[in-house]
Amino acid sequence: MLDRVISRDDLHALIDGLALQRRLIGPVVRKAPECRPPWRYFYQPVDRAEQLDLSFSYCVYSPKPFLFPPQETLFQFERVDGGFTARPQLADRPTALVGVHPCDLNAIQLLDHVFSAAPADRHYRARRDNTFIVGVDCARPCTDGVFCADLDSHEAHGGFDVMLYPLDGDAESAGTTPGRYGVVFGSRAGGEWVRYGRRGEVPTAADERTFDRYQRQKRTAFPHALKTPADELPQLLERSYDSLLWEATARRCYSCGSCNLVCPTCYCFDIKDQTTLGGDGGQRRRQWDGCQLRGFAQVAGGHNFRSRPAARLRHRIYRKAKWIRERTGLRGCVGCARCDRACTARINTVEIYNQLTEEV
Amino acid sequence: MTVLEAASPPAHAGDSTYIPLAGMVRRVTKLTALEQLFEIRLPNGRPLGHSPGQFVQVSIMGVGECPISIASSPTRPDSFDLCVRRVGEVTGFIHRLRPGDTVGIRGPLGHGFDVDELHGRDVLIVAGGLGLAPARSVIQYILDERPRFGQFHLLYGAREPAELLFRDDLTRWRQSPDVNFHLTVDRADEQWRGHTGVVTTLFHRLPRLDPDNTMVAIIGPPIMFKFVVLEVLARRIPQKNVFCSLERRMKCGVGKCGHCQANNVYVCTEGPVFRYGQLKALREALE
Ligand SMILES: Cc1cc2nc3c(=O)[nH]c(=O)nc-3n(C[C@H](O)[C@H](O)[C@H](O)COP(=O)(O)OP(=O)(O)OC[C@H]3O[C@@H](n4cnc5c(N)ncnc54)[C@H](O)[C@@H]3O)c2cc1C
Ligand code: SF4
Ligand code: FES
């Protein structure tokens, strides 16, 4: 059921309205001569809606950095009279994230869960609470190799204020700019944005039929890549702990952590202090960390609880497909395949799952 | 009095779980060449409100933070003890602290011993090396609440006499009728007149343990754990009565940063104290 339908122009007007109150961030195309095709999409701040490309294929990085930045100050400290004072740094800049695909919305739901669980992480929450999210649906796979449909994360299940469905961009013409969007409200703020903006119309019966057709088309547009259904991956992995495949695959691994870096659901971090030169103040900062990096589980004295790349690869895969799912009921992997695309060693997660499936 | 009910939310200041409270160093005692004991008081004498086996994140502004076990019992709420071995950056700076200095404290963190479950039971504690520091929080607790426990046996092993921690306590415990205490070192020196051998060689000094009524806590390096658990199970103690403490790299201490995971378990929140049965299913736990 749609809440509204809206023309492209009206949508742009609404987004321009948002940009008056919020920093606007969305998918923007950038030239990339070394790539084929020679352009790539990135989330970045813009001034106006028309700078965005809402029919983008995929963004190289997910919008995660705008909710959980690669580096951030947790608090400022000042050393005074042998003691210290500390001031938390909480981001309060209103932001609108416009053009988030279902896979990344699913990932945001996981981040929300982890950082909101007690004790809540106020630094994440502050950013998140100040962020208005407009999702945009994919009519068909954004590129080869994705397996979002296997994980049912090609559909949005929440995490948005407003969701847009490109109505006259059906499976055949997807990639061209749709003239109309179906709108679903995900929050009160989302509903108010559209209604108070006085844009869009109440959907007619014909609009609902178009939306039905869109969803039917979508069901056949996404191929399935996994030989084990996602629900059964936990059991598959349970049986595969001692498989030789971990060693065999990890032999190629450079432990570079690129897979962690581009993953929309990776949220591990390190905490480090920085002092201002010569002064008595400084910051305690956090920065992304990655479980594939060699020293991730190493303690003082040199003992490393996961010294072998194979143990680290297994840890990553278990976490993505089994542990997070079992612990939270949410998706630890959303099938965006960014890790597979980023990997210099061409380690491919779908291939791992399918090889394990054939082993047992 | 049950101290645990008094447990307040973990100490952290202000609007962020990551901001520590300013603890005041009351006393510093040199224990060995590498270990010092710090007695810490929170602002306004606020009790830490921990249970034995929990830890705190200790921080030096501008240097960093590291997890340290609480080495004293909540039955002594005015202050708490931390026994710190100097091994790197943060612990090196902690060792420079002097009485009157301030140190950042976040905690208590993690899941400690469920002392209610120990009440009314016989207790055996086996500690190795630095493991005596967290063990001391349980030992003091039992001694302070002695009537609530049955027999109390304590075995402690260090690598060599120079590494023995808490010497004053050791003397006191040896003389106390409240605890059946045995001590060993792996390698003796000329002056050593006590028992020599790894900690498992002390087991023959124990009386017959009542398998159904004895709770066991094993706190020490993983290698020790494997051998001790065998001795304990050989005495027919059920696995559910055996507890042990794990160490992992930790950063956030609150189940977010991912560093402390042993397989799917967050040692910082679900541990560091685990039931042996829980650990058996965790392939990475005792590697
Ligand atoms: C639950 C728990 C309780 C502990 N209790 C005690 C104790 O009572 N007394 C004691 O002396 N030591 C204890 N340790 C070990 C102590 O935390 C490390 O020795 C300390 O972190 C080393 O920090 P560093 O900066 O001096 O060393 P560096 O080698 O400079 O370490 C850099 C950073 O790595 C991380 N790190 C390194 N080793 C460890 C480790 N073993 N555990 C966790 N993080 C680590 C820390 O974040 C540290 O700040 C405990 C560890 C854990 C997990
Ligand atoms: S990106 Fe590839 S090579 Fe790099 S750590 Fe990940 S799996 Fe290993
Ligand atoms: S120390 Fe951060 S999750 Fe446990």
Side-chain angles (χ1 to χ4, degrees), chain A residues 17 31 40 65 85 89 144 147 150 155 163 175 179 182 215 240 260 282 287 304 307 314 330 351:
Chain A
K31 283 204 195 86
R40 285 290 182 268
T85 58
Q89 186 157 309
D144 291 342
F147 52 110
D150 289 282
E155 300 286 355
M163 190 71 200
Q215 286 184 310
S240 307
N260 295 134
Q287 65 187 56
N304 190 337
S307 60
R314 183 177 58 199
L330 297 167
E351 197 179 305

Side-chain angles (χ1 to χ4, degrees), chain B residues 102-116:
Chain B
T102 302
V103 62
I105 299 288
R106 277 200 295 138
L109 301 171
H111 180 85
F113 290 96
D114 189 351
V115 285
D116 284 339

Side-chain angles (χ1 to χ4, degrees), chain A residues 42-315:
Chain A
F42 293 87
Y43 287 101
Q44 67 177 54
V46 295
D47 302 319
R48 291 182 316 280
E50 65 173 0
Q51 295 166 275
L52 301 176
D53 185 347
L54 292 182
S55 18
F56 69 108
S57 54
Y58 65 89
C59 286
V60 174
Y61 302 108
S62 83
K64 180 178 75 175
F66 298 100
L67 297 172
F68 173 48
Q71 295 196 7
E72 74 180 302
T73 293
L74 297 174
F75 59 86
Q76 312 268 355
F77 59 82
E78 200 77 50
R79 287 187 291 245
V80 283
D81 321 321
F84 62 83
T85 58
R87 214 158 19 90
Q89 186 157 309
L90 300 172
D92 53 6
R93 184 162 179 196
T95 298
L97 215 48
V98 176
V100 183
H101 277 168
C103 55
D104 289 336
L105 290 171
N106 279 282
I108 288 172
Q109 284 187 289
L110 177 69
L111 300 181
D112 285 353
H113 175 90
V114 169
F115 287 113
S116 309
D121 187 294
R122 293 285 312 276
H123 308 275
Y124 177 87
R125 279 305 338 167
R127 264 199 192 77
R128 182 67 178 88
D129 293 341
N130 281 309
T131 304
F132 184 88
I133 296 180
V134 180
V136 59
D137 200 47
C138 308
R140 59 169 193 177
C142 58
T143 182
D144 291 342
V146 297
F147 52 110
C148 47
D150 289 282
L151 299 156
D152 193 33
S153 53
H154 63 327
E155 300 286 355
H157 301 284
F160 55 84
D161 292 286
V162 165
M163 190 71 200
L164 303 172
Y165 294 86
L167 279 195
D168 55 9
D170 58 25
E172 284 74 54
S173 58
T176 62
T177 311
R180 261 155 69 86
Y181 290 91
V183 179
V184 170
F185 302 153
S187 68
R188 208 175 68 181
E192 287 172 356
W193 175 53
V194 178
R195 282 198 307 266
Y196 295 177
R198 298 181 168 283
R199 303 279 175 165
E201 295 98 47
V202 174
T204 62
D207 292 328
E208 290 293 358
R209 278 196 300 277
T210 313
F211 185 48
D212 277 348
R213 201 164 56 242
Y214 170 87
Q215 286 184 310
R216 269 200 311 278
Q217 259 165 8
K218 181 166 171 170
R219 244 167 265 147
T220 53
F222 282 75
H224 286 247
L226 295 182
K227 293 184 180 159
T228 297
D231 290 345
E232 293 166 28
L233 287 179
Q235 293 92 303
L236 173 69
L237 290 176
E238 183 74 51
R239 293 193 297 269
S240 307
Y241 198 85
D242 295 310
S243 168
L244 281 179
L245 193 76
W246 304 117
E247 283 291 344
T249 309
R251 256 192 205 184
R252 309 206 298 274
C253 178
Y254 297 107
S255 301
C256 64
S258 304
C259 45
N260 295 134
L261 189 76
V262 297
C263 178
T265 66
C266 271
Y267 54 81
C268 289
F269 58 87
D270 196 2
I271 301 179
K272 290 206 165 112
D273 284 11
Q274 243 173 36
T275 37
T276 36
L277 260 183
D280 273 332
Q283 302 103 37
R284 183 155 293 168
R285 292 169 65 79
R286 77 163 145 209
Q287 65 187 56
W288 291 355
D289 206 342
C291 62
Q292 302 304 287
L293 299 173
R294 200 172 183 292
F296 186 77
Q298 185 167 324
V299 293
H303 184 67
N304 190 337
F305 287 97
R306 256 173 252 114
S307 60
R308 298 185 65 76
R312 298 198 289 274
L313 173 65
R314 183 177 58 199
H315 185 79

Side-chain angles (χ1 to χ4, degrees), chain A residues 79 117 121 123 242 298 327, chain B residues 16 18 61 249 256 264:
Chain A
R79 287 187 291 245
D121 187 294
H123 308 275
D242 295 310
Q298 185 167 324
R327 294 180 71 98
Chain B
S16 167
Y18 302 105
M61 292 302 159
R249 185 189 186 88
K256 314 239 186 258
N264 62 334

Side-chain angles (χ1 to χ4, degrees), chain B residues 35-36 43 57 66 72 108 135 183-184 213 220 243 245 254 282 286:
Chain B
E35 280 106 1
Q36 290 185 7
Q57 280 284 7
C66 72
S72 58
L183 168 69
T184 183
N213 200 40
F243 295 85
S245 185
V254 291
L282 275 190
L286 302 172

Side-chain angles (χ1 to χ4, degrees), chain B residues 249-260 266-269:
Chain B
R249 185 189 186 88
M250 290 184 185
K251 283 292 173 179
C252 70
V254 291
K256 314 239 186 258
C257 78
H259 278 96
C260 66
Y266 289 82
V267 176
C268 72
T269 51

